[in-house]
Amino acid sequence: MASAPTATNTQEMDYPSPWQNAWERSKTHIGLQIGFSIVLLAALAAIFAPLIAPADPYAQSLTSRLLPAVWQPNGSWDHILGTDAYGRDVLSRLLYGTQVTMIVGFGAAVVSGIVGSVLGILGGYFGGKVDAVVIFLINVKLAMPGVLIALSLVSIFGGSLISITVILALLFWDRFAVVARTATQQVCANEYIAAAECVGASRTWIIFREILPNIANQIIIIGSLEMAIAILVEAALSFLGLGIQPPTPSWGILVSEARAFMFLKPHLIVIPGMAIFILVIGINLLGDGIRDVTAPQGRN
Amino acid sequence: MEQNNQKAALQVRDLSVTFSLGKKLFGPSSKLHAVNGVSLDVFRGEFLSIVGESGCGKSTFAKVLLGLQKPTSGAIDLNGRPLASYSRLEIARQIQPVFQDPYSSLNPRKSVAANVALPLIVGKGEGSADIRGSVQKALDLVGLSRKHAGAYPNQLSGGQRQRVAIARALITRPGILICDEPTSALDVSVQAQILNLLQNLGRELNITCIFISHDLSVVKHMSKRVAVMYLGRIVELGAAEDVFNRPRHPYTKMLIGSILPADPGKKLSIPTNDGGFPDPTNPPPGCHFSPRCDQAMEVCSKVKPDLLRDEAVEVACHLYSGTSTQRLAS
């Protein structure tokens, strides 16, 4: 046994595990840190909204309508971001709106991610007729005017949190499917798939243990993109009055309600707009960062 | 020959693999005969090389032996039983591959230990107590140390990766190793290490090794027996010394003539009427090599030559069919 020549590498060094590598890289990855902070902050705001919100987001008060924010003339610390046209505290509505936004965005991304990845992996791995069916479904989906269909579905099923999430998920699975299918085809061309077939690994094993870990990065990237888009579309639907129904505070509804006072009270529309903008950027940075630090070869 | 007394580990009879290349609207669909009526015995413990230029069907032949490609026709017997009657896992225990590109043959998301243990985990189920020990032994065999077990493929060099791939192939102690150009993706200095390793392991563990290569100097150095393939057919088969010292088939002569000599002053003999590799979807009739052959006769482009014994070797060429008396049993 000892007669086999030893490998030339005689340097005694330890090989860091992928988690150590990812941790080391994330220490210097500013995009990931910013993205993670923003998303973490939004998540904390959503979870602890009932504890940190200074007022009831539904409590109307006709005597304190359209109060200015704290930095404006006559502003007070009672309503840090002022009040809206019904006298409701804007900060509280913004915090509660985070719940809706995060649930819709995350839920839609996860559901569409599962649907799209399953279809894409099946098509890419099995090829042939399965692939033809998957491509047909993708083409049908691409041919449909998505937002119009979302509008009509919302008007049929109503604007509840669950129906909005599911409808958005059904809107966005196609990009997952396209990317997962192509990535699967690329992975399947590698010899380690043939090696796994040679040792008698089942198809389930090959899909879950050989293919999935190697396309997870691409799926995470698409997931972060789709989550951001779902948040934007939810805001757009709410703005049009076809999303989450008032008085439930969603960021889109906040923008929509502030539209009438756009010139008198611009901060009412700027603040939820900025919130959407920052969260979307944060999610994109986070997704990009996760991809960068977990790729085996690393990326800069 | 003495080898006829030995038992054949693999017996291939009249194996053909045909790919159809899409249907045309008019006219017949074109077909590619990647492997065309190959018969071959591989004896236990021997080191058999299959050589030929790109596109001659040697990799397809390897895929069929590994069960990755269904043969169109023909029979393969493994230890006297048809290969088709074995289950996937039974074949896996007896035949294992070493692939060409160590950069794509290891799963980059798994540690070296997990990559090497794959055949055991799939065969026995996860959590078997002896997996860790078996991985260690397999890594020892290929000359990798304990610390490499925790490394990931991207942290290793090409040579180290190929050692890992060999360790994975050996962990179930298969009887047959199929190496599909295992060194062509490696540096020359590393090639020698891997080749020596394969040769030593084959000898020590008494493994039958089918070595597929286009590198003749490697083949000459490594193997006992050589099969030369051209366009899906075996054109010459025999002991390596005989084939290299006295090549009979004009194609073998041309191949051997193309080995780069170690002397930089020497010049290669360039074949004169070489029309290049023919279109495999539309092979020339008769002997596939006849358009490139400088000794071609009229019969060559009409009748397909059979693989016949000529002294020590078997050769499929009309130049030798007259002298031969003994037909290969097929």
Side-chain angles (χ1 to χ4, degrees):
Chain A
M1 281 201 185
S3 72
T6 49
T8 46
N9 186 357
T10 49
Q11 287 173 315
E12 283 301 320
M13 55 164 193
D14 283 327
Y15 296 106
S17 78
W19 293 113
Q20 287 169 326
N21 268 336
W23 178 242
E24 285 303 317
R25 287 192 204 124
S26 56
K27 278 182 190 166
T28 56
H29 198 297
I30 293 166
L32 175 74
Q33 290 162 1
I34 294 174
F36 181 76
S37 312
I38 292 172
V39 174
L40 182 72
L41 220 63
L44 289 177
I47 293 167
F48 295 110
L51 297 178
I52 53 177
D56 181 352
Y58 300 104
Q60 302 184 3
S61 161
L62 290 177
T63 53
S64 50
R65 292 173 69 220
L66 296 172
L67 289 180
V70 67
W71 62 85
Q72 292 168 329
N74 302 324
S76 89
W77 284 96
D78 291 341
H79 299 287
I80 296 173
L81 298 180
T83 56
D84 68 3
Y86 298 97
R88 296 174 295 201
D89 184 54
V90 171
L91 177 62
S92 305
R93 285 183 70 73
L94 197 68
L95 289 172
Y96 274 89
T98 320
Q99 287 181 334
V100 174
T101 301
M102 293 292 275
I103 289 172
V104 169
F106 195 70
V110 167
V111 175
S112 62
I114 292 172
V115 173
S117 305
V118 166
L119 284 173
I121 292 173
L122 290 180
Y125 178 58
F126 289 102
K129 283 179 182 153
V130 182
D131 198 24
V133 171
V134 170
I135 289 181
F136 177 75
L137 289 175
I138 292 173
N139 283 339
V140 168
K141 163 68 196 62
L142 288 175
M144 294 195 304
V147 176
L148 278 184
I149 288 184
L151 287 175
S152 53
L153 284 178
V154 172
S155 62
I156 294 169
F157 295 106
S160 76
L161 202 59
I162 291 176
S163 72
I164 293 282
T165 308
V166 171
I167 287 165
L168 289 181
L170 294 179
L171 262 186
F172 294 131
W173 61 266
D174 56 313
R175 208 174 299 183
F176 284 99
V178 170
V179 171
R181 178 175 164 275
T182 318
T184 304
Q185 284 173 338
Q186 281 170 358
V187 167
C188 281
N190 281 315
E191 284 167 347
Y192 58 84
I193 302 294
E197 282 170 14
C198 281
V199 302
S202 66
R203 284 170 170 166
T204 327
W205 172 285
I206 289 176
I207 287 175
F208 283 102
R209 307 297 285 270
E210 308 287 338
I211 296 174
L212 197 57
N214 283 294
I215 67 169
N217 262 339
Q218 280 99 317
I219 292 178
I220 287 173
I221 290 292
I222 301 299
S224 71
L225 281 176
E226 296 298 352
M227 182 170 171
I229 294 175
I231 287 172
L232 289 176
V233 173
E234 184 276 320
L237 287 178
S238 300
F239 179 81
L240 293 174
L242 284 160
I244 308 294
Q245 294 305 305
T248 312
S250 107
W251 290 356
I253 288 176
L254 262 65
V255 173
S256 149
E257 285 173 348
R259 192 171 45 106
F261 311 99
M262 201 154 57
F263 300 109
L264 298 170
K265 300 278 176 187
H267 75 278
L268 285 183
I269 206 164
V270 168
I271 287 167
M274 285 300 286
I276 295 171
F277 170 69
I278 291 171
L279 181 59
V280 166
I281 284 194
I283 291 168
N284 283 334
L285 285 175
L286 180 65
D288 252 17
I290 290 176
R291 191 267 319 269
D292 286 353
V293 300
T294 56
Q297 68 280 8
R299 274 176 74 115
N300 295 315
Chain B
M1 276 178 85
E2 45 147 13
Q3 274 160 338
N4 290 338
N5 306 327
Q6 286 178 280
K7 264 202 162 175
L10 266 175
Q11 219 171 19
V12 181
R13 284 291 166 266
D14 217 16
L15 183 79
S16 290
V17 181
T18 309
F19 299 110
S20 73
L21 300 172
K23 283 173 196 138
K24 281 176 194 153
L25 197 53
F26 302 105
S29 65
S30 61
K31 281 186 174 167
L32 192 147
H33 297 274
V35 178
N36 196 349
V38 165
S39 297
L40 185 65
D41 283 348
V42 185
F43 301 102
R44 206 157 284 162
E46 81 167 333
F47 201 111
L48 170 77
S49 288
I50 300 176
V51 294
E53 59 198 294
S54 321
C56 74
K58 48 194 199 302
S59 287
T60 310
F61 184 63
K63 276 189 181 161
V64 173
L65 295 182
L66 287 166
L68 295 174
Q69 174 74 48
K70 285 247 178 308
T72 315
S73 66
I76 306 171
D77 283 1
L78 173 63
N79 297 325
R81 249 175 74 193
L83 192 69
S85 72
Y86 287 87
S87 79
R88 207 56 276 243
L89 284 172
E90 282 173 326
I91 297 177
R93 240 170 273 145
Q94 308 209 29
I95 308 181
Q96 276 294 306
V98 175
F99 288 110
Q100 178 172 4
D101 183 4
Y103 291 90
S104 101
S105 65
L106 303 175
N107 189 334
R109 293 278 177 181
K110 288 182 180 174
S111 69
V112 163
N115 267 302
V116 171
L118 180 74
L120 284 185
I121 296 172
V122 169
K124 292 182 186 169
E126 229 161 333
S128 289
D130 55 336
I131 283 185
R132 195 178 263 268
S134 305
V135 168
Q136 202 51 63
K137 267 185 214 158
L139 288 179
D140 284 344
L141 269 180
V142 298
L144 289 173
S145 73
R146 205 159 286 258
K147 70 189 169 72
H148 290 112
Y152 279 73
N154 64 299
Q155 294 162 329
L156 300 180
S157 69
Q160 288 173 324
R161 286 172 185 228
Q162 197 59 297
R163 285 169 193 268
V164 174
I166 295 170
R168 174 177 63 192
L170 291 176
I171 197 166
T172 53
R173 293 299 155 87
I176 302 171
L177 207 57
I178 295 180
C179 309
D180 188 358
E181 310 216 16
T183 58
S184 54
L186 302 174
D187 282 348
V188 179
S189 57
V190 183
Q191 279 186 12
Q193 293 177 14
I194 297 294
L195 292 172
N196 287 334
L197 175 66
L198 279 173
Q199 211 167 29
N200 291 338
L201 288 172
R203 237 178 260 145
E204 277 171 34
L205 307 174
N206 194 29
I207 292 174
T208 312
C209 202
I210 300 176
F211 187 87
I212 291 166
S213 181
H214 59 245
D215 190 339
L216 286 158
S217 44
V218 165
V219 167
K220 192 178 179 182
H221 165 70
M222 297 288 288
S223 46
K224 288 245 174 60
R225 227 154 54 98
V226 178
V228 182
M229 274 184 86
Y230 186 75
L231 217 63
R233 291 177 186 159
I234 291 182
V235 296
E236 189 158 354
L237 173 68
E241 318 165 13
D242 295 318
V243 172
F244 278 94
N245 293 339
R246 210 191 130 221
R248 285 161 176 82
H249 197 284
Y251 177 61
T252 319
K253 285 179 188 163
M254 195 172 106
L255 272 185
I256 290 171
S258 74
I259 300 179
L260 218 52
D263 179 2
K266 270 188 180 172
K267 278 184 183 157
L268 276 177
S269 61
I270 309 288
T272 45
N273 63 342
D274 189 3
F277 199 68
D279 177 12
T281 61
N282 183 22
C287 173
H288 286 343
F289 187 63
S290 56
R292 291 170 86 180
C293 182
D294 50 6
Q295 290 166 279
M297 304 174 285
E298 212 188 318
V299 65
C300 290
S301 56
K302 286 176 185 155
V303 183
K304 167 185 171 279
D306 289 326
L307 193 62
L308 299 172
R309 180 161 300 286
D310 182 68
E311 294 167 35
V313 302
E314 290 160 32
V315 59
C317 180
H318 289 299
L319 286 174
Y320 301 93
S321 55
T323 60
S324 108
T325 46
Q326 181 195 357
R327 269 208 115 149
L328 177 75
S330 60

